[in-house]
């Protein structure tokens, strides 16, 4: 029954520049080799950017940590060629159930629209994810992954940054045209630049217990409010890979984190939940608090922030790692366009405009979930419980139940890069929204066919165009999802977001929308 995962140790190697005492300049340096830094490296490398990744550790994260990865994140990893082993190892699910006391109050389906290539969610321990991403980075000739390299100082000018790095062989300096900080919630890079966080820290404490056990629970997300086995609090249950189950217990504000992590206190909680005869083993235990806040600016000169270094949310809704991967998805193509000379440096300001907008949406959803799960007044508790009671029989109450709104991508409705509709659409995918996948009539999937650059999706033959054109039939599921009447055209960005759409082909409008997407002013 025991999970036999062995934490790897990655080899430290002295770089040529340190050994030779040379000051080298690199196009891009990424600080942090967690899921976000590794994803960022793979996305930039796929776009031809030679990337150095620095990490002060030499292994993967301890414990399961982030475990839920949403469809949009899986689509990004599929584009980067790393999703297959994750799907094979992870646990796919799409149904969530919410219980109030000892009764089912509400359930939901995360994938109501069938015929999608990726599942709604997979659960996979973060250490497995990181191991796969490390292997992919090691195999890519454009990624230089350096373990036991700790950033200790950073200075930047108008045309680049100077980084001081500490290694087991001493310190050295390197230069970078651009730096992406993916070094987590306690980011040293953020501290070095004096970049401020805005938001709030919640005092509620929660216990994570990773439990190895054989269990008959279905592969679903189960959330309890005020269950008989943990009165007055909440509990979350998820299945992970290799018979590991994640259980989150709400503890309250006054819980002692040192005492609560002791096995003699954790095991009775789990036995109360599973029954006195349940057989299980503890793999990892942690007590946490969380914050809902973000950085003041995602871009500070030559340094961009992504993932937890840029924003922090509560764990309810799986918005942390998923949002970080979407940061990478947004930033990598813009860096490539700027570095290739196809776009002005000002395009990188749109990274803040779009991803800060998304972060604010995630913070709002995360804060609302926290308020519902941990009501702070007697009146709000009564309201919460009334909603849960009504949800058992009344459909109108079910959307009000909030055990954590699960991660979905945020449309960039206010982005300066997006061209608004001039023509009438009765549905489809609006400008600023991520593309919706669909099977292609001849086989394959839309998102895979779109590739990694600008592309025109045309329902019927298009006129002469400087972009690659993907011609689609104006009948069938794809046309239905995109309101694709004959002649309809969609301009798709390199991150597979809709930049613009029209009811007919117009080469001048398409060219103008491409320039707008690249931040080029008319």
């Amino acid at each position: 029954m025991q999970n036999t995962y062995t934490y790897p140790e990655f080899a430290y190697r002295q770089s040529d520049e340190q050994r030779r005492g040379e000051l080298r300049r690199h196009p891009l340096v990424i600080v942090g080799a967690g899921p976000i830094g590794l994803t960022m490296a793979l996305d930039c490398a796929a776009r031809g950017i030679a990337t150095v990744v620095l990490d002060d550790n030499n292994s993967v994260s301890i414990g399961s940590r982030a475990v839920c990865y949403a469809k949009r994140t899986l689509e990004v990893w599929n584009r980067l060629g790393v999703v297959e082993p994750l799907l094979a190892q992870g646990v796919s699910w799409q149904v969530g159930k919410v219980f109030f006391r000892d009764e089912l109050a509400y359930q939901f389906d995360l994938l109501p629209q069938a015929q999608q290539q990726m599942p709604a969610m997979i659960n996979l321990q973060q250490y497995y994810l990181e191991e796969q991403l490390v292997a992919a980075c090691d195999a890519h000739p454009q990624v230089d992954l350096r373990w036991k390299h700790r950033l200790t100082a950073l200075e930047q000018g108008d045309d680049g940054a100077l980084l001081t790095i500490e290694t087991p062989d001493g310190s050295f300096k390197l230069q970078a045209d651009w730096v992406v900080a993916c070094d987590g919630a306690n980011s040293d890079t953020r501290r070095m630049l004096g970049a401020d966080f805005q938001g709030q820290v919640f005092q509620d404490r929660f216990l994570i217990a990773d439990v190895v056990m054989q269990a008959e629970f279905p592969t679903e997300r189960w959330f309890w409010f005020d269950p008989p086995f943990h009165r007055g609090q909440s509990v979350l249950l998820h299945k992970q890979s290799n018979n590991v189950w994640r259980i989150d217990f709400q503890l309250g504000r006054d819980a002692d984190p040192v005492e609560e992590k002791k096995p003699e206190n954790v095991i009775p909680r789990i036995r109360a939940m599973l029954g006195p005869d349940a057989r299980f083993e503890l793999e990892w235990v942690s007590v946490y608090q969380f914050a809902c806040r973000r950085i003041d600016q995602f871009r500070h000169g030559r340094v961009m922030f992504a993932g937890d270094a840029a924003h922090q949310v509560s764990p309810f809704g799986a918005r942390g790692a998923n949002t970080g991967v979407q940061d990478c998805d947004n930033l990598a193509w813009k860096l490539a366009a700027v570095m290739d000379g196809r776009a002005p440096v000002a395009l990188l300001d749109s990274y803040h405009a779009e991803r800060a907008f998304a972060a604010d949406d995630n913070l709002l959803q995360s804060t609302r979930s926290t308020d519902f799960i941990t009501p702070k007044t007697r009146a709000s508790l009564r309201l919460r419980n009334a909603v849960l009671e009504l949800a058992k029989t009344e459909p109108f109450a079910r959307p009000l139940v909030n055990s954590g709104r699960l991660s979905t991508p945020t449309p960039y409705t206010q982005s300066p890069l997006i061209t608004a509709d001039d023509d009438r659409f009765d549905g489809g995918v609006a400008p600023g929204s991520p593309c919706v996948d669909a099977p292609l009539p001849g086989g394959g999937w839309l998102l895979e066919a779109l590739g990694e650059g600008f592309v025109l999706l045309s329902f019927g033959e298009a006129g002469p165009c400087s972009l690659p054109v993907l011609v689609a039939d104006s009948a069938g599921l794809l046309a239905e999802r995109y309101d694709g009447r004959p002649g309809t055209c969609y301009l798709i960005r390199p991150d597979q977001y809709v930049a613009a759409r029209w009811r007919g082909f117009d080469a001048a409008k398409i060219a103008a929308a491409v320039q707008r997407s690249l931040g080029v002013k008319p």
Side-chain angles (χ1 to χ4, degrees):
M1 186 167 62
Q2 184 176 2
N3 186 21
T4 57
Y5 182 76
T6 301
Y7 287 88
E9 285 193 10
F10 305 119
Y12 158 75
R13 296 183 181 89
Q14 190 181 56
S15 63
D16 289 342
E17 62 202 281
Q18 184 179 7
R19 183 167 52 254
R20 296 173 181 173
E22 299 175 351
L23 179 63
R24 288 192 186 173
R25 189 179 185 95
H26 302 274
L28 177 65
V29 171
I30 296 172
V31 183
I36 309 311
L38 296 168
T39 298
M40 187 71 203
L42 289 170
D43 207 341
C44 289
R47 301 180 188 283
I49 302 173
T51 302
V52 174
V53 184
L54 309 174
D55 197 274
D56 59 1
N57 199 356
N58 69 332
S59 189
V60 296
S61 297
I62 303 299
S64 64
R65 299 186 181 274
V67 297
C68 300
Y69 307 105
K71 185 169 73 71
R72 177 62 186 170
T73 298
L74 299 174
E75 289 167 350
V76 173
W77 285 332
N78 188 39
R79 178 171 58 77
L80 299 177
V82 297
V83 82
E84 288 302 326
L86 305 178
L87 293 176
Q89 196 171 21
V91 175
S92 298
W93 65 276
Q94 67 188 69
V95 173
K97 291 180 179 176
V98 177
F99 299 87
F100 182 40
R101 298 183 178 130
D102 55 355
E103 292 185 281
L104 178 65
Y106 170 64
Q107 73 178 56
F108 56 86
D109 186 338
L110 289 177
L111 198 65
Q113 196 176 50
Q115 292 186 271
Q116 309 254 356
Q117 185 181 17
M118 292 297 126
M121 283 272 182
I122 67 166
N123 289 354
L124 184 65
Q125 295 92 310
Q126 186 170 321
Y127 45 73
Y128 287 131
L129 167 65
E130 289 185 20
E131 201 168 0
Q132 294 291 348
L133 294 178
V134 167
C137 285
D138 282 341
H140 203 298
Q142 292 281 60
V143 180
D144 181 357
L145 186 49
R146 302 183 183 183
W147 303 103
K148 292 290 187 181
H149 281 61
R150 184 169 73 91
L151 176 68
T152 58
L154 187 151
E155 305 168 44
Q156 59 173 326
D158 293 338
D159 63 346
L162 178 67
L163 293 77
T164 303
I165 312 299
E166 183 183 272
T167 75
D169 294 320
S171 295
F172 74 106
K173 296 181 186 293
L174 59 81
Q175 292 178 319
D177 293 338
W178 299 97
V179 177
V180 181
C182 305
D183 49 347
N186 298 314
S187 169
D188 287 331
T189 314
R190 193 179 62 238
R191 175 182 51 80
M192 290 171 192
L193 294 184
D196 294 330
F197 258 163
Q198 302 169 355
Q200 63 183 120
V201 177
F202 291 87
Q203 300 305 313
D204 302 278
R205 297 185 188 274
F206 292 80
L207 170 74
I208 290 176
D210 276 1
V211 177
V212 186
M213 64 179 179
Q214 299 282 351
E216 300 301 322
F217 297 108
T219 306
E220 299 170 349
R221 178 189 191 263
W222 283 14
F223 195 102
W224 288 267
F225 290 96
D226 192 16
F229 53 84
H230 193 51
R231 281 296 182 199
Q233 307 285 11
S234 64
V235 179
L236 173 64
L237 176 71
H238 266 298
K239 184 179 182 180
Q240 303 177 81
S241 180
N242 289 348
N243 295 315
V244 176
W245 295 76
R246 158 72 66 83
I247 307 175
D248 283 50
F249 291 96
Q250 181 186 355
L251 299 177
R253 292 174 160 233
D254 300 325
D256 183 332
V258 175
E259 288 297 315
E260 292 291 351
K261 285 193 294 186
K262 292 179 178 178
E264 60 266 31
N265 292 321
V266 176
I267 290 173
R269 293 191 187 280
I270 298 173
R271 288 214 178 280
M273 177 182 180
L274 302 178
D277 299 325
R279 296 181 58 204
F280 60 86
E281 296 174 9
L282 293 179
E283 181 184 76
W284 179 60
V285 176
S286 178
V287 173
Y288 65 91
Q289 294 172 277
F290 55 84
C292 290
R293 56 189 182 179
R294 73 163 172 86
I295 201 169
D296 57 349
Q297 290 288 323
F298 281 49
R299 178 190 172 199
H300 282 249
R302 288 273 162 168
V303 182
M304 273 71 64
F305 291 84
D308 285 354
H311 43 72
Q312 295 170 261
V313 293
S314 79
F316 309 114
R319 293 175 179 271
N322 287 294
T323 304
V325 169
Q326 292 166 42
D327 290 343
C328 304
D329 188 42
N330 186 279
L331 178 56
W333 74 269
K334 295 175 180 177
L335 273 171
V338 169
M339 295 168 86
D340 290 346
R342 292 179 288 116
V345 171
L347 175 64
L348 297 177
D349 292 330
S350 74
Y351 172 60
H352 171 81
E354 293 183 342
R355 294 312 298 163
F357 180 77
D360 288 342
D361 178 53
N362 279 297
L363 292 175
L364 175 63
Q365 299 298 334
S366 186
T367 301
R368 285 175 175 172
S369 297
T370 301
D371 290 342
F372 193 87
I373 293 168
T374 61
K376 305 301 186 292
T377 66
R378 186 172 298 178
S380 59
L381 176 61
R382 285 179 177 174
L383 178 60
R384 194 276 306 272
N385 290 349
V387 168
L388 290 167
E389 196 66 50
L390 284 167
K392 297 175 185 178
T393 57
E394 304 301 326
F396 82 87
R398 290 166 190 164
L400 303 177
V401 174
N402 194 337
S403 64
R405 298 277 188 256
L406 275 297
S407 176
T408 55
T410 302
Y412 304 138
T413 56
Q414 307 299 317
S415 172
L417 306 186
I418 299 302
T419 300
D421 285 338
D422 284 334
D423 302 325
R424 178 174 175 177
F425 283 80
D426 298 322
V429 184
S433 301
C435 289
V436 177
D437 206 4
L440 299 177
W445 294 89
L446 173 65
L447 295 188
E448 289 184 340
L450 291 177
E452 296 183 324
F454 283 98
V455 62
L456 190 72
L457 173 62
S458 176
F459 290 89
E461 293 298 326
C465 185
S466 60
L467 299 177
V469 179
L470 178 63
V471 178
D473 197 332
S474 56
L477 184 59
L478 177 59
E480 178 185 322
R481 290 183 177 174
Y482 282 78
D483 191 15
R485 302 177 199 165
T488 298
C489 295
Y490 278 77
L491 174 63
I492 312 300
R493 302 191 328 184
D495 57 356
Q496 299 184 343
Y497 269 68
V498 175
R501 60 182 180 173
W502 306 271
R503 282 303 185 191
F505 177 85
D506 187 314
K509 288 183 177 180
I510 293 168
V514 170
Q515 291 301 296
R516 182 170 187 169
S517 295
L518 290 170
V520 178
K521 295 181 179 179

